[in-house]
Amino acid sequence: MLQHPAKPTSLLLAALTALVATFAVGRDAAAYIPDDRWSTTASGSTGVQGDGATITWSLVADGTSIVSEGSSNLISYLDGLFGVSSGGNNFSARPWFSLFQESFDRWTELGGINFVYEPNDNGVQMGGNAAGALGVRGDIRIGGAAIDGPNGTLAYTYLPNNGDMVIDTGETAFYSNSANNYRQLRNTVMHELGHAFGLLHIESSSDHLLMEPFIDTSFDGPQLDDVRGLHGLYGDALEKTNNGAGNDSFGLATSLGAIAAGGSKLIGAAAASGQSVGANETDFVSIANSSDFDFFSFTVNSASLLDVTLTPLGGVFFQGAEGGAQSSFDANARNDLTLAVYGTNGTTLLGTASSSAAGLVESLAAVSLPAAGQYYVRVSGSTTNVQLYQLQLSVQSAVVAQPGDFDGDGDADGNDLLVWQRAFGVSGGGLAADGNHDGVVDDLDLAILTAHFGQSLGGAAAAVAAIPEPAAATLCLLGAAMLFGRSRAR
Ligand SMILES: [Zn+2]
């Protein structure tokens, strides 16, 4: 149920009690307040907590009976608001249909539910016991009736496994408000969809959340705690990949593509900015429970060193059940995560990190990836609580530089001597001729060059071929360099 920001009437409270209050008792604190998730839909079993689900939705034709409300008049009501004179039963062609579609699509792109429009609805009473059936009617059915006229209740929705939604067709000014692409209508529908898949009301004095009981149009769609609720019940959007098998094993890993030397990949960053979620943000990943494993794969084109940072996210905010006391809640520390890196066979462990407590970063530095190929990173948790996170992978080349190779061409020769001469006496960071990395180009660096003169990364034979100077000429060059260096140093 969603209400105008006015004091609710006793009638509204009674309706709320009948729909949700009996489910709100005895739940573990989770900020978002879950009810039962869907167990079975028209598409089959939905598995267990944290598994994805397919849930269909349909619009009922006018005249369809609604429990406790009489006949639905939603279609003619919306047609009237949008100036449709005649449209028959092809609801998806109506100008208002896209607002419903966008509302379902927004939840779909944020987590493990795949909402699918079911164009059929056979008109049996909604709000009752009629389960969804493919080609017959949706799991969630949407109708409308004059609930209480303007103000008060905007809509209400039955919890799973019912999910039917009743929109108050006594509201005219509210639903016809076109500001921000009919945000008042869309936020109402998206809020009710939260109930339809299993979320109850929450209140927050510090932040704005979609599942609060009064309409709020200061944001667009689900906010971070609402997304957490979706993930807690049905997992993240990656649980829908691989035909619903998710990314729980290395063979089903989510590909992050190639990472070049000096490059990095970041996933889950949309959850890093507190409870506020923009309407276009979709990059949210989470561990839903202790048996949820998130595998990611990536490739490197040569031997590399990998840095990995795993940051638990979710934010800290005040929250409480509807009408109850509020308290500070740390959604960063819901589940103590473990990080692991695996080799190209997906099973050889190259590095793991789990020492930090829940809420703190786990990281691995300079994990050796011994050759080009595809590697794997796994994120897992230790409790049944959902944990949003951000994962960053950074790759550096593992190629060891040839000592004295100041010009970076793979060998130590006369050209490197020229580089050293031109930089002699210069101080600073990252100087090519600063062979011992002490911040100044000096005789110590020349000593490194002379010690390795004639060597190359290609091996001894290549080194000989690459060095045209005979030994005497080399010594002569070095002697000149020493003199040059001393004159510069004075
Ligand atoms: Zn509500």
Side-chain angles (χ1 to χ4, degrees):
M1 169 181 284
L2 193 61
Q3 298 166 35
H4 283 280
K7 189 174 183 181
T9 66
S10 58
L11 176 65
L12 299 172
L13 286 173
L16 260 179
T17 301
L19 285 173
V20 303
T22 54
F23 298 100
V25 181
R27 299 279 174 175
D28 291 338
Y32 71 85
I33 301 175
D35 188 68
D36 293 327
R37 63 195 292 283
W38 284 79
S39 58
T40 304
T41 70
S43 306
S45 169
T46 63
V48 299
Q49 178 263 334
D51 288 348
T54 295
I55 303 176
T56 58
W57 62 281
S58 61
L59 292 155
V60 302
D62 284 359
T64 299
S65 173
I66 304 174
V67 169
S68 303
E69 302 290 356
S71 297
S72 179
N73 63 354
L74 180 66
I75 305 302
S76 57
Y77 167 74
L78 292 171
D79 282 352
L81 291 184
F82 285 77
V84 177
S85 55
S86 65
N89 285 330
N90 185 6
F91 305 145
S92 62
R94 301 294 214 280
W96 45 261
F97 181 84
S98 62
L99 301 173
F100 286 86
Q101 184 73 63
E102 289 168 23
S103 299
F104 281 93
D105 288 351
R106 180 56 177 153
W107 276 117
T108 290
E109 68 185 359
L110 286 170
I113 299 177
N114 187 28
F115 283 114
V116 178
Y117 177 59
E118 166 60 68
N120 300 289
D121 193 290
N122 67 347
V124 299
Q125 186 179 50
M126 63 168 274
N129 296 318
L134 298 180
V136 178
R137 59 181 171 267
D139 297 308
I140 295 169
R141 301 169 71 207
I142 304 176
I147 297 172
D148 63 354
N151 299 316
T153 297
L154 293 165
Y156 67 84
T157 299
Y158 290 84
L159 295 160
N161 286 330
N162 184 313
D164 291 351
M165 181 190 305
V166 182
I167 291 173
D168 183 9
T169 55
E171 305 277 351
T172 300
F174 181 82
Y175 287 127
S176 62
N177 186 322
S178 64
N180 299 304
N181 185 31
Y182 294 89
R183 183 180 290 175
Q184 291 188 166
L185 171 59
R186 289 185 301 104
N187 269 12
T188 300
V189 172
M190 287 188 278
H191 170 100
E192 297 303 325
L193 285 179
H195 292 319
F197 70 71
L199 294 180
L200 303 180
H201 284 158
I202 185 173
E203 290 186 305
S204 174
S205 58
S206 61
D207 289 271
H208 298 268
L209 303 174
L210 182 63
M211 293 315 295
E212 296 193 75
F214 296 95
I215 184 69
D216 187 342
T217 54
S218 67
F219 55 83
D220 192 320
Q223 301 299 285
L224 193 60
D225 187 66
D226 308 307
V227 175
R228 274 193 342 108
L230 173 65
H231 287 199
L233 292 171
Y234 302 95
D236 62 25
L238 296 175
E239 297 299 331
K240 295 184 292 192
T241 59
N242 297 303
N243 293 317
N247 60 349
D248 284 16
S249 66
F250 80 88
L252 302 175
T254 301
S255 173
L256 300 178
I259 309 179
S264 64
K265 293 281 185 181
L266 181 63
I267 190 166
S273 48
Q275 298 307 304
S276 178
V277 171
N280 296 317
E281 291 187 289
T282 58
D283 186 13
F284 301 93
V285 290
S286 63
I287 288 296
N289 53 55
S290 58
S291 57
D292 183 15
F293 300 99
D294 287 359
F295 277 85
F296 299 93
S297 67
F298 63 97
T299 61
V300 294
N301 59 14
S302 65
S304 301
L305 298 175
L306 174 71
D307 291 342
V308 192
T309 305
L310 172 63
T311 308
L313 297 173
V316 179
F317 57 103
F318 277 88
Q319 55 78 44
E322 185 173 9
Q326 296 200 13
S327 59
S328 180
F329 184 83
D330 185 357
N332 298 322
R334 296 296 293 155
N335 199 331
D336 190 2
L337 299 180
T338 294
L339 172 65
V341 178
Y342 293 95
T344 55
N345 62 2
T347 56
T348 301
L349 186 64
L350 301 181
T352 186
S354 61
S355 57
S356 300
L360 301 178
V361 169
E362 299 284 1
S363 62
L364 289 168
V367 177
S368 176
L369 311 179
Q374 179 165 269
Y375 293 84
Y376 302 87
V377 172
R378 190 190 76 175
V379 180
S380 58
S382 55
T383 72
T384 57
N385 298 321
V386 64
Q387 183 63 62
L388 293 162
Y389 65 84
Q390 171 182 291
L391 181 68
Q392 179 158 25
L393 310 181
S394 300
V395 167
Q396 299 297 329
S397 173
V399 174
V400 177
Q402 167 64 51
D405 179 20
F406 302 149
D407 65 357
D409 67 349
D411 56 19
D413 62 8
N415 293 324
D416 302 303
L417 185 60
L418 289 174
V419 173
W420 176 84
Q421 287 175 337
R422 289 167 183 151
F424 187 86
V426 177
S427 60
L431 292 163
D434 183 14
N436 63 354
H437 309 291
D438 65 351
V440 61
V441 177
D442 57 14
D443 289 345
L444 296 175
D445 305 310
L446 178 63
I448 292 173
L449 174 57
T450 54
H452 296 275
F453 203 88
Q455 294 179 359
S456 84
L457 291 172
V464 170
I467 304 296
E469 306 93 343
T474 300
L475 288 174
C476 181
L477 262 172
L478 287 173
M482 298 293 272
L483 285 171
F484 180 73
R486 275 195 289 274
S487 71
R488 283 275 303 268
R490 278 199 291 269

